[in-house]
Amino acid sequence: MEHAIKQESAFVGIEVSKLLLKAVLLSGGEVLCKVLENDLAGYRWLRSWLQRNDVTIMGLRVCLRLDAPHSEVAACVLAEMGMLVCDAEAGPLEAYARGCGLPDGAARSAVVLANYCEDKRPARWTPSSPAYVELHLWLRRLHAIIGVRQQESARLNVYLRAGQHALHALVRQQIACLDAQIRQHEAAILEHVRRAGPAINTTDAFPFWPHPRRQAAFPLHYCLLKNAIAKAEPES
């Protein structure tokens, strides 16, 4: 184990946004930066850039904030390329940044991620199973539909008070349709959980579960998922 750690001479930190990747490479005492698009072409350009800088791709330790939006696809593709992708969890990363005397918010930057990667060697991240990915897409879709329903419900009283009875009736019909879609999605999610079984029935297959901010952002996801798993688990 110690011998393997000593062999690591290059480390990468990646700051992910919706459109861009900001990558910092620490190698041979140098700090190199690269900005690329957050898409498949960008991931391939990143690999080419690393290779042009004499970095071995296989086993290269790369740190990202996987609790940040738009990061998991990039992490999956880089892992498939052979990189050792690591999740820089918010708590330890922010504590590291404070220990370095950095201001609040600096922990999100690629250069801090790269230095954290070199100093702390966080554990390897395991990509989510296909069953989990499908479940997450179902839940995001359900969350969006419920959001639309909440918006339409808020308009009902407004139309009624304004005497716009035709609009009021139309919105009530739309809400009824949305309720039917919500029931269909809930049934499909429960069936998926029952069918997938152990592939999504652990916190290891649900990597966002430990992050309170993610739970606060999507409370319905977690409530529904817990209920679905409880109903799908075989009786002891």
Side-chain angles (χ1 to χ4, degrees):
M1 178 69 72
E2 292 180 359
H3 178 71
I5 290 176
K6 291 178 182 178
Q7 294 303 311
E8 292 188 73
S9 59
F11 303 87
V12 176
I14 300 179
E15 181 182 351
V16 182
S17 66
K18 183 177 182 179
L19 299 178
L20 298 175
L21 302 178
K22 298 177 183 178
V24 168
L25 167 65
L26 305 182
S27 179
E30 293 185 309
V31 180
L32 304 176
C33 304
K34 188 72 171 176
V35 178
L36 309 111
E37 293 184 355
N38 188 5
D39 57 19
L40 184 58
Y43 311 146
R44 290 171 177 169
W45 273 111
L46 175 62
R47 178 176 59 187
S48 299
W49 174 69
L50 292 168
Q51 290 171 331
R52 288 197 302 271
N53 284 283
D54 299 321
V55 174
T56 301
I57 298 301
M58 297 301 297
L60 173 65
R61 195 179 293 268
V62 177
C63 273
L64 302 89
R65 285 282 300 268
L66 283 163
D67 63 336
H70 317 295
S71 61
E72 191 167 3
V73 172
C76 288
V77 175
L78 297 180
E80 288 173 359
M81 290 179 176
M83 300 182 200
L84 197 161
V85 176
C86 304
D87 181 12
E89 295 185 4
L93 179 63
E94 290 169 1
Y96 172 80
R98 287 194 301 270
C100 295
L102 298 173
D104 293 342
R108 296 183 178 275
S109 70
V111 67
V112 173
L113 286 164
N115 281 281
Y116 176 77
C117 190
E118 181 177 16
D119 292 344
K120 299 301 182 181
R121 315 287 173 100
R124 183 173 191 162
W125 169 76
T126 303
S128 304
S129 67
Y132 162 74
V133 173
E134 182 179 345
L135 174 63
H136 189 60
L137 292 173
W138 273 112
L139 289 168
R140 288 186 68 87
R141 172 64 181 165
L142 177 59
H143 182 77
I145 295 173
I146 289 178
V148 174
R149 189 199 186 283
Q150 290 172 339
Q151 293 172 3
E152 294 298 317
S153 297
R155 295 188 180 104
L156 272 178
N157 289 335
V158 174
Y159 292 146
L160 189 60
R161 287 195 299 268
Q164 297 174 335
H165 300 291
L167 274 175
H168 182 268
L170 178 61
V171 170
R172 289 191 62 180
Q173 293 175 4
Q174 291 174 340
I175 290 174
C177 292
L178 290 168
D179 286 341
Q181 290 184 44
I182 289 169
R183 289 192 295 270
Q184 290 172 358
H185 278 69
E186 289 174 343
I189 290 167
L190 287 170
E191 178 57 30
H192 176 68
V193 172
R194 293 190 188 98
R195 186 174 63 250
I200 55 174
N201 199 14
T202 66
T203 54
D204 291 337
F206 196 50
F208 295 132
W209 191 285
H211 298 289
R213 282 181 295 179
R214 176 72 61 158
Q215 295 190 38
F218 300 102
L220 173 70
H221 289 34
Y222 290 87
C223 179
L224 180 60
L225 180 62
K226 289 176 181 178
N227 290 339
I229 288 177
K231 292 178 182 178
E233 285 179 343
E235 296 183 359
S236 57

